[in-house]
Amino acid sequence: MLNKVHHITFVVESIDDMAGYIERNFSLAPMSRDEFEDRGFKSILYRIGETYVDFFEPLREDTPMARQLQATGPGVMHVAWGVDGIDDVFADLKAKGNEMRGDAPSASPFGYRNLNIDTASSHGILFQLAEGEVSH
């Protein structure tokens, strides 16, 4: 079922500071910079091998990433695992008794589809599964 690490999302205080750090130390420039006002964050996105790495900066205090940043400081928000056939995976996980966030896989603002297993079903760990490539 799981076939790769699709992406890793970090929450940071400043994507500009992080982009400068990554460029200075690793000679990488982001493949995209985005602002998702409706979702309450700005992002920078990198591709490293097969894996996407993104950094989110909260724009509002009422977002999950802002609450995480306040509670624990900068760090990993989640790791998303790659899958094929995400609709079937969703149905299979639900049939196995997992509580899912939402009624079906959803579209990310980056163009791929994803699903999230509610942490009440997964021993407190957020499992996000994703299918598809970033459409930037």
Side-chain angles (χ1 to χ4, degrees):
M1 176 185 295
L2 305 179
N3 58 30
K4 67 180 179 179
V5 174
H6 185 274
H7 68 272
I8 303 168
T9 299
F10 294 87
V11 62
V12 296
E13 293 175 3
S14 168
I15 61 168
D16 292 332
D17 291 349
M18 185 53 62
Y21 177 83
I22 291 173
E23 188 165 353
R24 264 190 326 278
N25 290 281
F26 306 112
S27 301
L28 292 173
M31 64 183 281
S32 72
R33 289 176 172 264
D34 297 288
E35 186 167 320
F36 301 100
E37 184 81 30
D38 60 326
R39 294 182 185 223
F41 70 94
K42 297 190 295 187
S43 74
I44 52 175
L45 178 69
Y46 298 85
R47 183 162 186 153
I48 302 171
E50 285 190 16
T51 304
Y52 295 103
V53 179
D54 51 9
F55 296 86
F56 290 177
E57 174 187 334
L59 294 172
R60 300 187 319 259
E61 296 299 316
D62 66 340
T63 63
M65 63 213 62
R67 289 188 292 274
Q68 178 181 333
L69 192 58
Q70 175 131 27
T72 62
V76 174
M77 189 171 157
H78 68 266
V79 175
W81 304 95
V83 296
D84 294 320
I86 198 162
D87 293 305
D88 292 338
V89 170
F90 184 93
D92 181 56
L93 289 167
K94 194 168 181 160
K96 289 177 178 172
N98 289 282
E99 292 293 323
M100 309 301 285
R101 293 187 180 171
D103 296 327
S106 61
S108 84
F110 300 105
Y112 55 82
R113 296 180 68 216
N114 62 49
L115 66 83
N116 293 286
I117 301 172
D118 191 285
T119 56
S121 295
S122 56
H123 304 280
I125 301 297
L126 174 61
F127 279 89
Q128 184 176 93
L129 283 59
E131 178 180 50
E133 298 298 319
V134 168
S135 61
H136 280 83

